[in-house]
Amino acid sequence: MKIISTARSMQQLSQSWRRKGETIGLVPTMGALHRGHITLVEKARRENDRVIVSIYVNPTQFGPKEDFTKYPRPRQVDLALCRAAGVDAVLCPASLYPEDFSTWVEEVTVSKGRCARTRPTHFRGVTTVVLKLFNAALPDRAYFGRKDAQQVDVITRMVRDLDVPVKIVPVNIVRDSDGLALSSRNRYLSLEQRKQALALPRLLRQAVSQKQPEAWLRKALSRAPGLKLDYVELANGRLCAAVYVGRTRLIDNRAV
Ligand code: AMP
């Protein structure tokens, strides 16, 4: 498995694969890998000759008061997981931005509402870094989890609008046995908070069979002990919700 630290050297490796006619699947991540990420990698492994995982905690998608500095970075464990999953190359750059970086990719419609209410600059950071990662890895296909439903919607729109020659492959949410969607941020939860957090997947599951799922879920989550409601929103056929458990923000969604 190759470990690559610059966009330029990633391009050179991907170009050499493409010249041989090999297809490339990219799985963009921020690391602290879990079974959700590995499910994306496994799908990419089945569908492509070469698999690249990028591990990069992208500063431009974090707000000033968010967890950028304390975001977990267990690099050696992540590399071992990638090796075990048969990844060909891991792109883990120290930085992707020149000091005087001044070019942004901004999607302005799908990036409104839902997570953008509390994270107004988040998706501009996501679209910008994802296009940069595409330009580095030159993938045929890129894999994104439906856990971040709005992210899938925004990236799909960006790729369509800008004629980016990459197929976006959405992957279903991977959950723990108790129902909580796997997330790198779950490790911030205390035992007590984790129990409280389970109301999110449970109420979401109940909500989708109600007559007015959005209103029902909003009310139910507002009453759930230990949770502070961020939003409930029906978008693109999915009921999406975000809550705070203590200072940890969790998101989840279900098809309706
Ligand atoms: P992250 O490292 O949190 O930026 O996530 C990297 C990719 O993994 C994103 O496309 C996420 O949507 C996806 N992902 C994270 N958690 C899950 C999960 N529980 N199920 C499916 N995909 C996930």
Side-chain angles (χ1 to χ4, degrees):
M1 186 177 80
K2 295 215 160 53
I3 297 168
I4 296 187
S5 58
T6 67
R8 186 77 199 107
S9 44
M10 186 71 258
Q11 279 168 352
Q12 285 165 349
L13 181 59
S14 288
Q15 278 161 348
S16 76
W17 288 337
R18 294 185 77 102
R19 274 197 293 274
K20 289 189 277 184
E22 294 178 329
T23 57
I24 300 172
L26 171 68
V27 181
T29 81
M30 297 206 300
L33 302 180
H34 50 64
R35 204 158 36 81
H37 298 113
I38 300 304
T39 302
L40 270 61
V41 172
E42 288 167 350
K43 191 165 169 63
R45 185 69 284 169
R46 288 194 295 275
E47 298 178 351
N48 302 276
D49 299 314
R50 298 290 184 174
V51 175
I52 300 170
V53 172
S54 62
I55 299 179
Y56 182 59
V57 185
N58 172 38
T60 64
Q61 70 189 68
F62 287 79
K65 289 185 186 142
E66 292 180 359
D67 55 346
F68 173 69
T69 45
K70 77 162 188 172
Y71 200 84
R73 291 165 170 86
R75 202 44 45 87
Q76 292 313 313
V77 178
D78 285 349
L79 292 177
L81 287 169
C82 288
R83 209 170 275 119
V87 170
D88 294 285
V90 177
L91 172 61
C92 44
S95 170
L96 280 176
Y97 299 95
E99 221 161 84
D100 56 352
F101 179 85
S102 57
T103 308
W104 295 95
V105 180
E106 195 169 11
E107 190 287 323
V108 298
T109 303
V110 189
S111 300
K112 298 270 160 63
R114 286 188 275 179
C115 288
R117 291 166 195 252
T118 44
R119 310 185 77 190
T121 59
H122 173 68
F123 288 108
R124 179 182 85 155
V126 170
T127 43
T128 301
V129 82
V130 168
L131 192 63
K132 285 168 73 64
L133 292 168
F134 286 177
N135 286 335
L138 308 174
D140 297 275
R141 302 182 186 84
Y143 296 79
F144 292 90
R146 286 209 169 91
K147 182 167 98 53
D148 301 278
Q150 190 174 11
Q151 174 169 275
V152 172
D153 296 342
V154 171
I155 300 289
T156 302
R157 176 64 64 96
M158 172 189 81
V159 162
R160 188 203 69 177
D161 286 355
L162 300 183
D163 308 305
V164 182
V166 176
K167 182 175 163 46
I168 303 305
V169 184
V171 179
N172 283 338
I173 301 177
V174 179
R175 297 177 181 281
D176 242 329
S177 53
D178 58 10
L180 194 65
L182 294 177
S183 164
S184 306
R185 290 189 168 99
N186 290 352
R187 66 186 71 189
Y188 299 151
L189 301 172
S190 69
L191 224 59
E192 174 68 11
Q193 288 176 328
R194 184 172 173 112
K195 276 191 207 145
Q196 295 171 330
L198 293 179
L200 175 60
R202 190 181 64 241
L203 295 171
L204 194 51
R205 198 181 54 238
Q206 292 172 9
V208 292
S209 55
Q210 307 294 322
K211 271 202 202 82
Q212 292 181 308
E214 226 181 321
W216 188 93
L217 184 60
R218 200 168 286 129
K219 197 162 161 189
L221 283 174
S222 319
R223 289 175 176 171
L227 303 193
K228 187 170 160 280
L229 179 64
D230 179 359
Y231 70 82
V232 169
E233 204 173 308
L234 198 56
N236 209 3
R238 301 188 78 87
L239 184 60
C240 303
V243 297
Y244 290 91
V245 188
R247 294 174 65 182
T248 306
R249 187 171 169 281
L250 300 177
I251 57 174
D252 201 345
N253 65 88
R254 264 192 188 265
V256 284

